[in-house]
C-alpha cells in the first residue's frame, strides 16, 4: 500500500512539473484533441457488433511471433471462413488475416513466378489444357505453347485475354523486375 501511495504521489509530481512547463493553451488543445480521439474510438467501439469482441476474447488480435501462433491464427481463419459472419465477424476476420499476411511476408516470403510459370501453374491448377485456353481466348495453340514455356513474352493483349479467363487482372502476367 505504501508503495502504491508513493507511486501515485510521484506521478502527481511528474504531472505538475510537466504542466508548469507547458503553456495552458497548448494543454487545453491537447486535451481537446485527446477527447476527440477518444470519442472517435468510443464511437467505433459502440458501432462494432458484439461478435467482434467475442472473437477478440477467444483469440486476441496481437502480432504473430512464431509458427505456433501462426498455426493457431490460421485455424481461427479457416473456421471463420466456414461461418456466415456478421459485420463484427468480418471485421475481425480482416484484422486477423492482416496479421497472418504480415507474419508470412516477413517469415515465408515467396518469390514471384515468372509469367510463363504462372500460366503453367494456372493451367495445371484448373486441370485446363492449352487447347482449352486457346478456345477460351481465341489465341493460337502454338502461341499459348510458346507463352507457357517462356519462349515468347506476353503482349499486352495476350496478358489481358489469358488473365480474363482466370478472372485475374492482366498485370499478373507482366514480367517481374528486380531491383539491382
Amino acid at each position: 500500500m505504501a508503495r502504491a501511495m508513493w507511486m501515485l504521489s510521484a506521478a502527481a509530481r511528474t504531472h505538475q512539473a510537466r504542466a508548469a512547463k507547458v503553456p495552458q493553451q497548448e494543454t487545453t488543445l491537447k486535451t481537446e484533441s485527446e477527447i476527440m480521439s477518444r470519442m472517435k474510438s468510443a464511437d467505433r467501439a459502440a458501432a462494432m457488433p458484439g461478435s467482434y469482441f467475442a472473437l477478440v476474447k477467444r483469440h486476441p488480435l496481437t502480432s504473430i511471433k512464431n509458427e505456433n501462433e501462426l498455426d493457431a491464427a490460421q485455424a481461427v481463419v479457416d473456421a471463420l471462413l466456414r461461418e456466415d459472419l456478421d459485420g463484427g465477424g468480418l471485421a475481425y476476420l480482416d484484422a486477423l488475416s492482416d496479421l497472418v499476411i504480415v507474419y508470412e511476408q516477413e517469415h515465408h516470403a515467396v518469390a514471384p513466378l515468372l509469367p510463363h510459370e504462372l500460366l503453367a501453374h494456372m493451367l495445371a491448377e484448373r486441370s485446363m489444357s492449352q487447347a482449352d485456353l486457346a478456345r477460351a481466348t481465341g489465341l493460337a495453340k502454338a502461341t499459348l505453347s510458346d507463352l507457357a514455356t517462356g519462349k515468347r513474352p506476353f503482349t499486352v493483349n495476350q496478358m489481358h485475354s489469358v488473365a480474363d479467363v482466370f478472372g485475374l487482372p492482366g498485370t499478373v502476367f507482366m514480367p517481374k523486375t528486380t531491383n539491382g
Side-chain angles (χ1 to χ4, degrees):
M1 180 74 161
R3 180 167 169 75
M5 293 302 288
W6 177 84
M7 291 175 67
L8 193 57
S9 68
R13 285 191 303 273
T14 302
H15 177 71
Q16 288 171 347
R18 285 184 185 152
K21 293 179 184 175
V22 177
Q24 186 60 36
Q25 186 178 18
E26 287 181 27
T27 304
T28 304
L29 291 175
K30 182 178 178 188
T31 304
E32 288 173 10
S33 174
E34 288 174 358
I35 290 169
M36 292 304 292
S37 176
R38 287 182 185 145
M39 286 176 58
K40 289 176 186 173
S41 296
D43 289 344
R44 281 192 299 261
M48 190 62 66
S51 59
Y52 176 84
F53 298 106
L55 289 166
V56 169
K57 284 180 183 176
R58 196 169 81 193
H59 186 95
L61 293 172
T62 58
S63 296
I64 298 171
K65 297 172 190 69
N66 57 50
E67 294 298 314
N68 290 337
E69 290 180 8
L70 176 65
D71 291 343
Q74 286 176 325
V76 172
V77 167
D78 291 344
L80 291 174
L81 288 172
R82 289 186 217 101
E83 296 180 21
D84 187 23
L85 301 172
D86 65 359
L90 291 172
Y92 176 84
L93 179 60
D94 285 344
L96 185 57
S97 297
D98 289 346
L99 292 171
V100 169
I101 289 168
V102 167
Y103 182 85
E104 287 181 338
Q105 286 176 341
E106 290 176 3
H107 297 90
H108 301 284
V110 177
L113 294 174
L114 295 172
H116 70 278
E117 294 170 333
L118 177 60
L119 176 57
H121 174 76
M122 297 298 288
L123 289 169
E125 183 180 87
R126 288 167 174 75
S127 300
M128 190 177 205
S129 68
Q130 290 178 10
D132 295 333
L133 185 58
R135 283 188 289 280
T137 61
L139 298 173
K141 285 190 263 184
T143 299
L144 287 171
S145 176
D146 288 349
L147 293 172
T149 58
K151 291 180 184 173
R152 171 191 298 209
F154 281 82
T155 65
V156 172
N157 288 338
Q158 291 166 344
M159 282 183 215
H160 290 289
S161 296
V162 172
D164 286 346
V165 171
F166 299 116
L168 299 170
T171 55
V172 300
F173 292 107
M174 295 214 30
K176 309 301 183 247
T177 58
T178 57
N179 296 334

